[in-house]
Amino acid sequence: MTYGPRCTTDRATCGGVYDIHLGGSGYTRHDREAARRMVAEFPAGQRDVPERAARFNRQFLVRSVGYALDQGIRQFLDLGCGFPRWGNVHEVAQPRHPDARVVYVDYELGPVEEYRKLLSGNGNTHVLHADLREPERVLDQAAERLDLGEPVWLGMLCVLSFVRLCHGEDLYDVVRQYTDRLAPGSCFTLSIGCGEDMPAESLPPFYLLSEVYERELGTPYVLRNVSQVERFFDGLSLVTPVTYLTDCLAEPGRQVSYTDWAKRAMRGAVARVPG
């Protein structure tokens, strides 16, 4: 297996399926068929779990960008951005600060082309067709648009669960290569699939979902536990604990029921680069 950006039209893609869960139409019929099969793995009363989990994730992204703006950050790097639908980083950042600079990165050509059409004429927002598994290459390209000597918001939202590595590489090391290049005061936001504390009856559908991802998309779908997720933040200062996405940066006092599968399927956190 080699790394690098690609254009996939002969099978479903993670970005295309996620786009459907956010209310889009995906990129090809393969995306639509895979999304339908994924939903079918859940019992009748829970078939909206993928859609609601996607929405919780996007809402967390919006809150995280808002937090970064409140901290004075005006540069944003969104890795694994997927298709533009609603709550995109530039739509949150630039109405508040028109000078905010945003770089989107995706390794599938479909989302990149759609973002480029959407952003035509927006000189402060750019899209890279690149593979996040190549941190040095991605950061060097991003540095043509962003000043990495100043604080940056770095987002890895709902992407690392689907990353397949080879050559004995370690996903924690890949993430560390990104965070090590960030200036003090930068903000790192992560969300990821987490199977810990899921009700027992929910696990078989998620195992079947993983099989659909492997078969239809050729990518893994890995659920981690909380301690494994926390390792991605080694060396950083957590702003929020690793917790359910609905709780990350949520308004104080808001009550959340954790009997909801969609709310318990992912964890996330926000951290700052110390210094």
Side-chain angles (χ1 to χ4, degrees), residues 90 94 98-103 115-116 118-127 144-146:
H90 72 282
Q94 290 174 350
D99 61 337
R101 287 176 284 169
V102 180
V103 172
Y115 263 111
R116 285 174 176 167
L118 175 69
L119 298 169
S120 176
N122 185 332
N124 283 332
T125 307
H126 303 274
V127 191
E144 297 177 8
R145 306 294 183 178
L146 306 176

Side-chain angles (χ1 to χ4, degrees), residues 22-227:
L22 284 176
S25 58
Y27 192 54
T28 68
R29 63 177 177 83
H30 303 291
D31 295 328
R32 294 183 284 275
E33 291 170 359
R36 178 181 55 80
R37 292 189 183 98
M38 290 175 188
V39 169
E41 300 300 343
F42 289 86
Q46 299 287 350
R47 287 183 179 158
D48 62 348
V49 166
E51 175 186 339
R52 290 190 297 114
R55 289 183 175 274
F56 293 149
N57 184 68
R58 184 51 64 99
Q59 291 162 359
F60 172 47
L61 180 151
V62 169
R63 294 195 301 274
S64 173
V65 171
Y67 167 81
L69 291 169
D70 291 343
Q71 305 307 306
I73 294 174
R74 302 292 182 264
Q75 304 185 105
F76 301 83
L77 178 58
D78 187 0
L79 299 181
C81 59
F83 287 86
R85 282 299 166 253
W86 56 269
N88 303 296
V89 173
H90 72 282
E91 293 176 329
V92 181
Q94 290 174 350
R96 288 180 55 180
H97 294 279
D99 61 337
R101 287 176 284 169
V102 180
V103 172
Y104 292 107
V105 179
D106 205 282
Y107 90 137
E108 292 288 356
L109 184 59
V112 171
E113 289 182 333
E114 193 159 327
Y115 263 111
R116 285 174 176 167
K117 292 176 184 176
L118 175 69
L119 298 169
S120 176
N122 185 332
N124 283 332
T125 307
H126 303 274
V127 191
L128 301 179
H129 188 203
D131 189 337
L132 69 79
R133 295 173 295 182
E134 300 179 304
E136 185 174 354
R137 181 172 297 181
V138 170
L139 288 169
D140 286 348
Q141 291 183 63
E144 297 177 8
R145 306 294 183 178
L146 306 176
D147 181 358
L148 299 184
E150 295 294 326
V152 174
W153 175 94
L154 172 67
M156 298 185 185
L157 280 296
C158 196
V159 64
L160 295 185
S161 290
F162 308 103
V163 174
R164 188 189 299 279
L165 297 174
C166 61
H167 315 307
E169 292 171 313
D170 180 85
L171 190 57
Y172 295 106
D173 181 62
V174 171
V175 172
R176 194 172 301 113
Q177 289 181 60
Y178 283 101
T179 57
D180 282 351
R181 287 276 299 271
L182 298 180
S186 293
C187 178
F188 174 47
T189 295
L190 169 73
S191 65
I192 194 166
C194 187
E196 188 169 318
D197 198 32
M198 291 286 287
E201 66 272 18
S202 72
L203 292 177
F206 278 97
Y207 295 148
L208 292 171
L209 180 66
S210 180
E211 293 178 7
V212 174
Y213 269 103
E214 191 70 44
R215 183 176 66 250
E216 304 283 343
L217 287 73
T219 64
Y221 175 63
V222 180
L223 290 174
R224 292 173 170 82
N225 60 39
V226 171
S227 63

